[in-house]
């Protein structure tokens, strides 16, 4: 943010009678164009992909780090910038395609949460490289593969950044290597949480470790609050959030957003200590990030909405809950039950035993609780909660 923008924002804030002026600025799922405090890591990534600056395919790279360390923020800022600076925009004329294609290197960001299969990986890559539309249906995986190979034949190559590997329902590093291994003009950058020594296969020799945030986290909270709030965030509050989050920017920002909702609902124009407390209390330890919620299917979101309509102390078993949700939707009880168990298996929900009676034979009765902040989920999907907006911005 340059000085002119800061002055303009201060002038507009002076006339604001509400706390939040930009919800996206507080949203942990929305990344800044230039992440705060990560300059040295950008240099490490530049070193890893150095051949690309001579329009030559770089080696495959593995980028890893703990949750909330800013991996997605860094890579989703890097790829569009590489595309803007290094992609040439001269048309390539061929006998079959005329002048619709562009030469130069291609740079593609893929969220593996939205591309869990070989088909989806090929389709998202092709959609990013091709200038025309790519069919969503009526086309097979092998045909997508051949079309991708054909598109690559007229460019120097493509660097794919594939984010969120090795999570529930996302490809592994081994699968990525297999999917793109026979495409000579593709290099990939795999991004995940798993340390190299814990992977099922040996990672690429080129690797970049993203450590958790330390002192930078206070700066991140301050910058985000300056953009999103009409009044400055108290430095004591920023420091408390940073210390509590222990290097996890996603959780720190999530707690800040919940605090902003709490203050807004109370009619305050500043965030108070009690709002910070609520934000911290609402973010579960080892909870799922917002990106996992965004990737849910419509049926899964419907089920979670119905679950969240229930009071916190509701001890209804999964079977009883499935019957009740089925009666309120067009989903069958068996479908709801299956999805509830799948959501629990994938850590979106947590299973809690209802009765400790060890005499029960077979699967013991259990209920499910959300493994995420209710306020954050409502902020994503319910337009009447705290004047929120759906998750948007960079990938």
């Amino acid at each position: 943010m340059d000085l002119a923008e800061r002055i303009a924002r201060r002038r507009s804030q002076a006339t604001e009678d509400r706390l939040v002026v930009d919800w996206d600025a507080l949203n942990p799922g929305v990344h800044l164009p230039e992440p705060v405090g990560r300059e040295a890591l950008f240099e490490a990534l530049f070193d890893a992909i150095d051949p690309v600056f001579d329009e030559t395919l770089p080696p495959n790279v593995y980028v890893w780090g703990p949750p909330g360390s800013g991996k997605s923020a860094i890579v989703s800022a890097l790829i569009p910038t590489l595309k803007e600076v290094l992609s040439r925009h001269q048309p390539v004329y061929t006998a079959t395609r005329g002048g619709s294609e562009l030469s130069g290197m291609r740079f593609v960001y893929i969220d593996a949460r939205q591309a869990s299969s070989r088909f989806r990986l090929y389709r998202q890559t092709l959609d990013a490289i091709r200038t025309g539309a790519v069919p969503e249906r009526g086309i097979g995986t092998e045909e997508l593969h051949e079309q991708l190979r054909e598109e690559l034949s007229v460019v120097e190559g493509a660097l794919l950044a594939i984010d969120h590997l090795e999570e529930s329902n996302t490809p592994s590093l081994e699968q990525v290597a297999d999917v793109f291994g026979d495409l000579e003009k593709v290099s990939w950058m795999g991004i995940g949480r798993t340390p190299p020594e814990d992977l099922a296969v040996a990672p690429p020799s080129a690797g970049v470790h993203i450590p958790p945030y330390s002192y930078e986290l206070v700066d991140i909270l301050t910058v985000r609050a300056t953009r999103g709030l009409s009044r400055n965030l108290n430095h004591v509050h920023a420091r408390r959030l940073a210390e509590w989050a222990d290097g996890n920017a996603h959780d720190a920002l999530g707690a800040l957003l919940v605090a902003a909702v709490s203050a807004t609902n109370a009619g305050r124009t500043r965030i108070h200590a009690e709002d910070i407390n609520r934000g911290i209390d609402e973010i579960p330890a080892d909870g799922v990030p917002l990106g996992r919620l965004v990737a849910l299917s419509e049926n899964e979101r419907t089920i979670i909405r119905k679950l969240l309509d229930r009071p916190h102390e509701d001890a209804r078993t999964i079977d009883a809950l499935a019957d009740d949700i089925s009666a309120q939707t067009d989903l069958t009880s068996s479908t709801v039950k299956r999805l509830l168990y799948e959501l629990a298996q994938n850590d979106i929900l947590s299973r809690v035993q209802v009765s400790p009676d060890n005499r029960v034979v077979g699967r013991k009765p259990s209920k499910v609780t959300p493994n995420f902040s209710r306020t954050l989920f409502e902020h994503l999907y319910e337009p009447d909660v705290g004047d929120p907006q759906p998750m948007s911005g960079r990938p």
Side-chain angles (χ1 to χ4, degrees):
M1 183 185 296
D2 60 25
L3 288 178
E5 185 180 352
R6 286 181 180 272
I7 292 170
R9 180 171 289 276
R10 283 299 181 116
R11 292 186 66 187
S12 66
Q13 288 173 352
T15 62
E16 291 284 351
D17 59 358
R18 56 184 178 137
L19 172 64
V20 180
V21 295
D22 182 359
W23 285 99
D24 269 358
L26 308 181
N27 191 330
V30 176
H31 305 306
L32 298 181
E34 295 185 11
V36 176
R38 286 314 204 208
E39 291 79 6
L41 293 172
F42 277 107
E43 291 298 326
L45 285 171
F46 289 155
D47 289 341
I49 61 171
D50 186 69
V52 84
F53 300 112
D54 293 322
E55 297 192 353
T56 302
L57 275 177
N60 297 329
V61 181
Y62 182 51
V63 179
W64 78 97
S69 57
K71 302 181 297 297
S72 297
I74 292 171
V75 175
S76 63
L78 174 67
I79 294 300
T81 305
L82 289 173
K83 182 177 180 179
E84 179 182 354
V85 175
L86 298 180
S87 292
R88 292 203 310 268
H89 296 284
Q90 293 89 16
V92 175
Y93 292 91
T94 67
T96 57
R97 303 200 194 120
S100 62
E101 303 305 319
L102 304 176
S103 65
M105 291 289 297
R106 300 302 182 88
F107 302 94
V108 180
Y109 176 92
I110 297 174
D111 186 346
R113 292 167 178 163
Q114 308 284 349
S116 57
S117 66
R118 182 182 293 262
F119 175 89
R120 298 298 304 177
L121 286 169
Y122 284 151
R123 190 191 179 281
Q124 288 204 19
T125 305
L126 186 59
D127 188 50
I129 292 176
R130 177 183 284 178
T131 55
V134 179
E136 180 72 33
R137 297 177 178 83
I139 186 172
T141 301
E142 291 307 314
E143 186 176 353
L144 277 176
H145 177 267
E146 290 308 311
Q147 289 189 19
L148 179 56
R149 185 189 296 278
E150 184 180 0
E151 295 291 330
L152 291 168
S153 68
V154 297
V155 297
E156 274 76 7
L159 173 62
L160 315 180
I162 308 173
D163 201 0
H164 304 121
L165 298 180
E166 306 278 345
E167 295 183 359
S168 298
N169 291 330
T170 70
S172 66
L173 195 73
E174 182 178 15
Q175 290 170 322
V176 166
D178 176 62
V179 167
F180 296 106
D182 66 339
L183 294 171
E184 297 178 356
K185 288 194 173 184
V186 167
S187 292
W188 49 263
M189 178 187 295
I191 303 101
R193 300 177 179 179
T194 308
E197 61 271 19
D198 295 335
L199 291 168
V201 295
S205 57
V208 177
H209 176 230
I210 309 295
Y213 287 102
S214 56
Y215 62 87
E216 309 99 338
L217 192 46
V218 172
D219 292 338
I220 289 171
L221 291 167
T222 302
V223 168
R224 292 290 197 115
T226 299
R227 291 170 179 258
L229 302 178
S230 62
R231 301 291 185 272
N232 287 341
L233 177 68
N234 187 304
H235 185 73
V236 172
H237 296 335
R239 190 170 66 249
R240 181 163 182 242
L241 286 173
E243 291 173 353
W244 162 79
D246 193 25
N248 188 323
H250 179 281
D251 285 358
L253 287 168
L256 176 59
L257 191 150
V258 174
V261 171
S262 172
T264 297
N265 290 343
R268 291 190 281 271
T269 57
R270 287 187 183 275
I271 291 178
H272 291 185
E274 63 193 89
D275 304 312
I276 298 295
N277 291 338
R278 177 177 173 184
I280 289 174
D281 289 342
E282 251 203 54
I283 306 298
D286 299 321
V288 294
L290 285 186
R292 293 280 304 281
L293 303 180
V294 172
L296 294 175
S297 69
E298 184 57 41
N299 284 344
E300 290 170 329
R301 290 197 296 269
T302 297
I303 289 172
I304 288 179
R305 284 192 182 100
K306 297 300 181 183
L307 173 64
L308 296 184
D309 285 342
R310 302 195 162 280
H312 292 264
E313 64 275 9
D314 191 345
R316 197 176 301 260
T317 66
I318 291 178
D319 287 351
L321 181 63
D323 290 339
D324 193 44
I325 292 177
S326 175
Q328 302 175 54
T329 65
D330 57 0
L331 301 173
T332 66
S333 180
S334 60
T335 296
V336 175
K337 183 177 178 181
R338 173 179 59 80
L339 290 175
L340 285 171
Y341 277 115
E342 289 179 1
L343 288 167
Q345 184 177 2
N346 293 327
D347 296 325
I348 303 295
L349 302 177
S350 299
R351 283 182 61 188
V352 180
Q353 191 173 321
V354 173
S355 172
D357 189 353
N358 293 325
R359 294 172 296 176
V360 177
V361 178
R363 178 182 282 169
K364 294 180 174 59
S366 59
K367 67 174 185 176
V368 287
T369 59
N371 191 26
F372 52 84
S373 160
R374 291 171 178 253
T375 300
L376 290 185
F377 184 88
E378 292 167 351
H379 176 84
L380 288 175
Y381 295 113
E382 303 295 341
D384 59 339
V385 178
D387 191 26
Q389 298 296 323
M391 190 162 154
S392 60
R394 288 184 182 271

